[in-house]
């Protein structure tokens, strides 16, 4: 019989690879952070669709309302939705984390044109895949987002919860801690919104959301060995997609620095 500890142990090597990525050593300047955010913003955006799919699967959003089965899981999911979709920014304004991220990008003059175009295409009724194919963005971004929606399309709560937990919630505090160490002590005020976003995620995910998400996966898998194995497979791919995304950002940073030296 598998359990949550088996998943954690199996994923540990690739999780450590993500956390020890050379990307963190490449981030030194605001220009570096701009490039990072232009890649990462797509992961910030698609996180909400992953979360909302859990809300659709595990809580009741239909009318007439009836209580969903798992009291603990539905509270956890609704709590996460509230925190992600309606948090408070550094100035006390209600705002989703995606919108906070866009503001942080604008503050450091990062290019929000691709993500804005993408979201506008979605609003107009375009599919995620078609909208993504219209963009001139890295393959790693397209692969990351497309995989997220492949997970959602399984309509299997345990798989979605597994990717949400091991590819996002359980990973984010350590992942963002590596970044905030590099930029948190920077006295440049144009980074304050970005640092706030990172620190907010570390606080929420490390203290509350991460531990609760592990319990959610355990409850959804129960004693079903097939569900545990599916969680393992999809979570491993999610981490691989994250690693590919990070490597892509790192390569872009290296390329731009070499171009500057040559020119």
């Amino acid at each position: 019989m598998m359990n949550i500890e088996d998943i954690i142990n199996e994923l540990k090597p690739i999780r450590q690879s993500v956390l020890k990525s050379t990307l963190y050593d490449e981030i030194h300047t605001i220009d570096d952070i701009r490039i990072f955010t232009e890649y990462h913003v797509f992961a910030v955006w698609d996180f909400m669709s992953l979360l909302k799919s859990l809300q659709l699967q595990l809580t009741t959003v239909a009318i007439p309302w009836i209580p969903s089965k798992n009291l603990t899981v539905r509270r956890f999911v609704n709590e996460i939705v509230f925190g992600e979709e309606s948090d408070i920014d550094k100035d006390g304004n209600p705002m989703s984390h995606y919108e906070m991220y866009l503001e942080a990008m604008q503050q450091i003059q990062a290019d929000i044109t691709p993500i804005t175009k993408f979201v506008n295409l979605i609003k107009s009724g375009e599919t995620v895949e078609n909208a993504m194919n219209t963009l001139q963005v890295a393959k790693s971004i397209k692969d990351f987002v497309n995989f997220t929606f492949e997970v959602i399309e399984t309509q299997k709560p345990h798989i979605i919860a597994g990717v949400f937990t091991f590819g996002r919630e359980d990973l984010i505090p350590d992942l963002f801690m590596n970044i905030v160490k590099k930029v948190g002590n920077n006295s440049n005020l144009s980074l304050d919104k970005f640092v706030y976003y990172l620190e907010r995620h570390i606080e929420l995910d490390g203290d509350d959301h991460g531990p609760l998400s592990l319990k959610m996966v355990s409850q959804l898998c129960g004693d079903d060995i097939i569900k545990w194995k599916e969680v393992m497979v999809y979570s491993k791919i999610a981490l691989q997609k994250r690693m590919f995304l990070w490597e892509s950002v790192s390569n872009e940073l290296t390329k731009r620095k070499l171009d500057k030296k040559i020119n």
Side-chain angles (χ1 to χ4, degrees):
M1 178 58 62
M2 294 180 70
N3 58 36
I4 205 74
E5 290 302 322
D6 295 323
I7 303 290
I8 290 172
N9 290 333
E10 179 71 21
L11 295 177
K12 188 175 291 184
I14 188 168
R15 186 180 188 277
Q16 286 302 112
S17 295
V18 175
L19 296 177
K20 292 180 180 180
S21 167
T22 57
L23 170 63
Y24 310 116
D25 295 327
E26 296 285 343
I27 297 175
H28 297 288
T29 67
I30 290 182
D31 281 342
D32 297 336
I33 296 170
R34 285 191 190 106
I35 295 167
F36 170 80
T37 61
E38 289 164 11
Y39 280 69
H40 182 239
V41 67
F42 287 89
V44 176
W45 174 81
D46 79 354
F47 173 85
M48 280 305 303
S49 291
L50 200 63
L51 175 56
K52 283 293 188 176
S53 70
L54 281 175
Q55 189 178 37
L56 287 169
Q57 293 274 347
L58 300 173
T59 73
T60 304
V61 295
I63 298 172
W65 177 87
I66 56 173
S68 58
K69 293 180 180 179
N70 195 309
L71 281 70
T72 303
V73 169
R74 77 185 184 206
R75 177 180 174 83
F76 165 66
V77 171
N78 283 328
E79 181 182 315
I80 294 280
V81 170
F82 175 73
E84 293 287 340
E85 194 171 31
S86 305
D87 202 5
I88 301 297
D89 72 3
K90 67 180 295 295
D91 298 317
N93 302 307
M95 191 176 295
S96 72
H97 285 186
Y98 166 72
E99 290 161 317
M100 283 187 206
Y101 203 87
L102 282 185
E103 283 203 348
M105 289 180 70
Q106 289 174 298
Q107 188 181 42
I108 62 174
Q109 298 181 332
D111 185 7
I112 66 169
T113 304
I115 186 65
T116 302
K117 176 183 177 182
F118 175 72
V119 172
N120 285 338
L121 285 168
I122 299 296
K123 286 179 182 177
S124 70
E126 193 58 83
T127 66
V128 170
E129 184 177 7
N130 288 343
M132 186 59 68
N133 286 337
T134 68
L135 302 182
Q136 297 297 316
V137 296
K139 182 178 184 299
S140 61
I141 295 174
K142 294 180 180 181
D143 285 353
F144 192 96
V145 173
N146 286 335
F147 174 71
T148 296
F149 282 85
E150 287 173 18
V151 169
I152 291 169
E153 287 167 9
T154 68
Q155 296 188 358
K156 294 183 176 182
H158 62 283
I159 292 177
I160 299 168
V163 170
F164 177 84
T165 298
F166 296 107
R168 304 298 181 104
E169 290 294 284
D170 183 58
L171 183 71
I172 282 173
D174 290 338
L175 186 156
F176 281 175
M177 187 64 73
N178 283 330
I179 299 172
V180 82
K181 283 177 183 176
K182 300 295 293 287
V183 303
N185 295 324
N186 194 309
S187 60
N188 192 313
L189 290 178
S190 69
L191 285 172
D192 62 345
K193 290 186 178 182
F194 182 63
V195 172
Y196 177 85
Y197 169 87
L198 296 179
E199 291 180 337
R200 186 67 179 142
H201 260 286
I202 291 168
E203 177 186 358
L204 285 176
D205 296 335
D207 294 344
D208 299 315
H209 297 171
L212 285 172
S213 66
L214 293 172
K215 292 180 180 178
M216 174 175 63
V217 173
S218 292
Q219 290 188 23
L220 291 174
C221 289
D223 297 328
D224 192 325
I225 187 67
I226 293 176
K227 288 183 178 180
W228 281 111
K229 287 182 177 179
E230 287 180 330
V231 165
M232 180 80 77
V233 169
Y234 277 87
S235 297
K236 191 172 288 187
I237 296 172
L239 288 169
Q240 290 168 346
K241 296 295 183 184
R242 175 76 69 170
M243 192 67 199
F244 182 35
L245 183 66
W246 265 204
E247 288 173 349
S248 183
V249 182
S250 181
N251 291 339
E252 180 64 21
L253 290 173
T254 300
K255 177 180 176 296
R256 294 197 186 199
K257 287 169 185 176
L258 286 173
D259 288 345
K260 283 184 179 179
K261 285 183 180 179
I262 292 172
N263 296 328

